[in-house]
Amino acid sequence: MQRRLDEMLNAMRVRRSIVEHVFGTLTDWMGRNHFRTRRLANVVTEMSLHILAYNLKRAVAVLGTPC
């Protein structure tokens, strides 16, 4: 892993700017690092709903809404 990072010098900068923002926003919406449900199937559903809401919010921000 260190060799790969050494070859791509700005890989962590790109990752922080693209991926970490999304997960930071989602965990802030979820109330920090816990899920409200139990069992893997329910947690997967809950996370999927968070991701769907995030994507819809981003789509409205990027595309706007018709007046």
Side-chain angles (χ1 to χ4, degrees):
M1 186 61 154
Q2 187 61 48
R3 180 184 54 79
R4 289 176 59 202
L5 284 174
D6 291 339
E7 290 172 2
M8 300 183 307
L9 297 175
N10 66 348
M12 286 305 291
R13 183 181 309 151
V14 171
R15 179 177 179 218
R16 283 188 199 109
S17 65
I18 295 174
V19 176
E20 297 296 333
H21 171 72
V22 175
F23 285 111
T25 302
L26 288 173
T27 54
D28 189 47
W29 284 357
M30 292 178 351
R32 300 293 172 217
N33 297 322
H34 67 278
F35 290 96
R36 297 184 187 280
T37 57
R38 295 183 184 203
R39 298 198 176 133
L40 183 59
N42 295 339
V43 170
V44 168
T45 302
E46 183 179 351
M47 190 64 187
S48 296
L49 289 172
H50 282 296
I51 293 169
L52 177 64
Y54 178 84
N55 287 335
L56 287 173
K57 186 174 179 179
R58 289 288 300 142
V60 167
V62 170
L63 300 175
T65 57
C67 295

